[in-house]
Amino acid sequence: MYSHLLLAADGSKNALRAAHEALKIASAMPGCKIEILFVIDNSKVKEEVLHSQNQEEREYKRHQKLLPIEEVFADQGIPHHFTTIHGDPGPAIVDYAKKNEIDLIILGSRGLNALQEFVLGSVSHKVVKRASCPVMIVK
């Protein structure tokens, strides 16, 4: 059924819940690979640079945000791989999924209200709208 899952993760509580759902799916399918994708939003890099002393510190902080997600899979012995890319998160996730023959994209919902979603757009909405494979949004 699914052999290659993409978990889009940003270190949030919703991303952690999405990781638990990805774990359930992967556990039921022997040989299933999980790709954990972290997209560095170019519009937020400036703020990161201003609040850190060097590149190593930024990398360390990013890793710390994703550590609980990694532990979900490591604790259960589920094969997983981290990938970090730069770009606008919604389109970047979709492009990555297409290029890497992903069977299912799993991501957390940030829970924007209707006005925020209308004005800003949500990553999950952009992914659902553009993806060519199934997408699971976890609340």
Side-chain angles (χ1 to χ4, degrees), residues 6-134:
L6 178 65
L7 173 63
D10 61 0
S12 67
K13 290 179 183 177
N14 288 332
L16 185 57
R17 283 195 288 276
H20 286 284
E21 292 302 315
L23 176 66
K24 290 176 190 175
I25 294 168
S27 296
M29 297 180 197
C32 184
K33 296 186 308 183
I34 296 183
E35 185 87 25
I36 303 168
L37 181 67
F38 179 70
V39 180
I40 299 171
D41 189 343
N42 291 332
S43 67
K44 297 180 182 174
V45 170
K46 183 177 178 181
E47 183 178 322
E48 279 186 331
V49 170
L50 291 173
H51 291 97
S52 64
Q53 294 185 2
N54 55 43
Q55 177 68 23
E56 291 81 26
E57 183 180 352
R58 286 190 297 278
E59 292 294 327
Y60 177 77
K61 286 179 180 179
R62 289 176 188 147
H63 180 73
Q64 289 303 109
K65 283 173 50 173
L66 298 173
L67 195 57
I69 292 167
E70 183 178 20
E71 289 172 353
V72 167
F73 302 107
D75 290 348
Q76 299 298 315
I78 300 294
H80 60 283
H81 176 74
F82 268 105
T83 301
T84 302
I85 60 175
H86 287 264
D88 182 18
I93 292 166
V94 172
D95 289 344
Y96 187 88
K98 286 179 185 175
K99 290 176 183 171
N100 292 280
E101 300 177 3
I102 299 296
D103 299 318
L104 175 67
I105 301 170
I106 303 169
L107 68 160
S109 168
R110 202 170 82 196
L112 298 176
N113 67 38
L115 177 61
Q116 288 171 319
E117 186 168 340
F118 176 74
V119 173
L120 303 173
S122 73
V123 171
S124 56
H125 179 77
K126 290 174 185 176
V127 171
V128 168
K129 190 174 178 181
R130 297 177 179 146
S132 57
C133 66

